[in-house]
Amino acid sequence: MRKPLYAANWKMNKTGAETRMFFEKFLPKVKSRTDADILIAPPFTSIIDAIDADESERMIIAAQNMHFEADGAFTGEISAAMLNELGCTAVILGHSERRHVFGEDDDMINRKNVAAIAAGLIPVFCVGEKIEQRELGKTQEVLETQITDGLKDIPEGNLAQLVIAYEPVWAIGTGHTATPDQAQEAHLYIRSLVGTLYSNELSNSARILYGGSAKPSNISELMAQPDVDGVLVGGASLDPDSFAAIVNHD
Ligand code: PGA
C-alpha cells in the first residue's frame, strides 16, 4: 500500500516570517492526519524557518530546485550538500517552470536526479506535456522521453523513495485541472513505464502525484483514482486552511 503524499510547492512566495505564520496555523489543523506524508517546499531563503517551525519534524521539508554539481562557479545556484546541511530531505526537480521558463532539459534534470539521490534527498521528479502535445496525441510519447531520459543510468536500488509528479503544463496555475480520468490514464501509463524500465516491484511502490490546479474542491475525486498517490499543489497550498482541507479531504 502506498502512503499518500500531499506536497506544497510554494514557488516564489512567502518570506521567512510568512513561513513561520503558515506553520503556526497549519500544524494544528493536520495533527490527526497521521497516515499520510506532508511535504512543504518553501523558497530557499525560507527553508530554515520551515525547519525551525516544524519542531516535531512532522513534515518533509523540500527545496524547489538545486544544481547537479557539488560546488563551483555557478552564480546563484544551490548544491545538494547545502540542502542537506539545512535539514532538507527532499527536492522538487524538473518542474515545468524550470523546464519551460528557465530552459532545463531532460539531461540536466537527469543529472539533478542523480545528484539528489546520491545526497540522500528524495527527488520529486516532475513530468508533463504541453497542451499542443496533448492535442497532437503525444502525451505518452512526451512522458516516455521525460521519464526514460530523466532516470537514465539510475539503478533501481537507488529509487526506493522515488516520487514522480505528473503535472500537465496546461493545468498548472490555470484553474483547468485534469479530469480524474485524464489523471488516472497518465498515472497508469507512468506506472507501467516504470515497470517496463525497472520492475513490477518499483512500479507498485513508486508514488505518483498529480499536480495542476489541485484544490479542496477536486482533491477527493483525484485521490479516488487508483494510481493517484498524492498531489503537488501550488496556488492552493499557500493558505493554511486551503492546504489543510486538501490534506484532510474525505
Ligand atoms: P498549481 O501549481 O497548483 O498552482 O496549478 C502546481 C505546481 O506547479 O506544482
Side-chain angles (χ1 to χ4, degrees):
M1 199 47 199
R2 296 179 293 270
K3 194 175 187 187
L5 170 58
Y6 300 90
N9 173 14
W10 284 354
K11 310 191 180 184
M12 198 172 71
N13 293 288
K14 293 197 194 291
T15 63
E18 288 164 346
T19 298
R20 287 175 185 272
M21 270 162 53
F22 176 95
F23 273 82
E24 204 175 298
K25 292 191 181 143
F26 179 70
L27 285 174
K29 292 179 197 294
V30 295
K31 217 173 171 167
S32 56
R33 187 75 156 101
T34 50
D35 54 349
D37 287 331
I38 306 173
L39 177 153
I40 309 258
F44 288 131
T45 48
S46 301
I47 287 175
I48 198 71
D49 297 274
I51 286 172
D52 280 356
D54 181 29
E55 269 171 34
S56 61
E57 298 183 14
R58 165 70 182 90
M59 308 286 145
I60 297 169
I61 306 297
Q64 299 173 14
N65 184 29
M66 54 166 246
H67 198 274
F68 49 82
E69 291 290 355
D71 49 39
F74 301 104
T75 302
E77 293 291 331
I78 297 283
S79 73
M82 293 169 188
L83 298 178
N84 268 335
E85 194 182 77
L86 285 181
C88 253
T89 51
V91 57
I92 298 173
L93 295 173
H95 186 275
S96 83
E97 286 145 23
R98 299 303 318 172
R99 289 176 186 268
H100 303 303
V101 182
F102 297 100
E104 292 190 11
D105 61 16
D106 290 324
D107 174 58
M108 201 183 269
I109 295 159
N110 173 245
R111 295 206 236 172
K112 291 185 180 205
N113 277 330
V114 170
I117 291 166
L121 295 165
I122 302 169
V124 179
F125 167 39
C126 303
V127 296
E129 81 288 0
K130 293 178 169 179
I131 189 65
E132 55 273 24
Q133 294 167 325
R134 173 165 282 267
E135 282 167 354
L136 288 169
K138 293 196 163 160
T139 299
Q140 294 192 350
E141 203 180 300
V142 170
L143 296 176
E144 183 182 4
T145 304
Q146 290 177 339
I147 292 171
T148 309
D149 292 358
L151 297 179
K152 193 167 148 262
D153 295 335
I154 304 180
E156 177 161 352
N158 289 1
L159 292 174
Q161 306 217 72
L162 179 65
V163 177
I164 296 178
Y166 169 63
E167 299 206 306
V169 180
W170 47 272
I172 297 177
T174 59
H176 299 300
T177 319
T179 64
D181 285 350
Q182 285 172 324
Q184 170 58 22
E185 190 186 12
H187 283 223
L188 184 61
Y189 174 71
I190 291 169
R191 198 174 299 291
S192 66
L193 181 62
V194 171
T196 309
L197 294 173
Y198 292 98
S199 67
N200 278 344
E201 201 187 351
L202 186 64
S203 149
N204 285 328
S205 67
R207 288 190 284 188
I208 306 177
L209 312 184
Y210 167 79
S213 301
K215 46 190 175 237
S217 59
N218 57 30
I219 184 68
S220 297
E221 54 181 16
L222 287 165
M223 290 301 291
Q225 302 306 310
D227 289 291
V228 176
D229 306 313
V231 276
L232 180 55
V233 188
S237 73
L238 295 173
D239 174 66
D241 288 325
S242 149
F243 192 47
I246 290 174
V247 171
N248 294 325
H249 73 92
D250 293 333

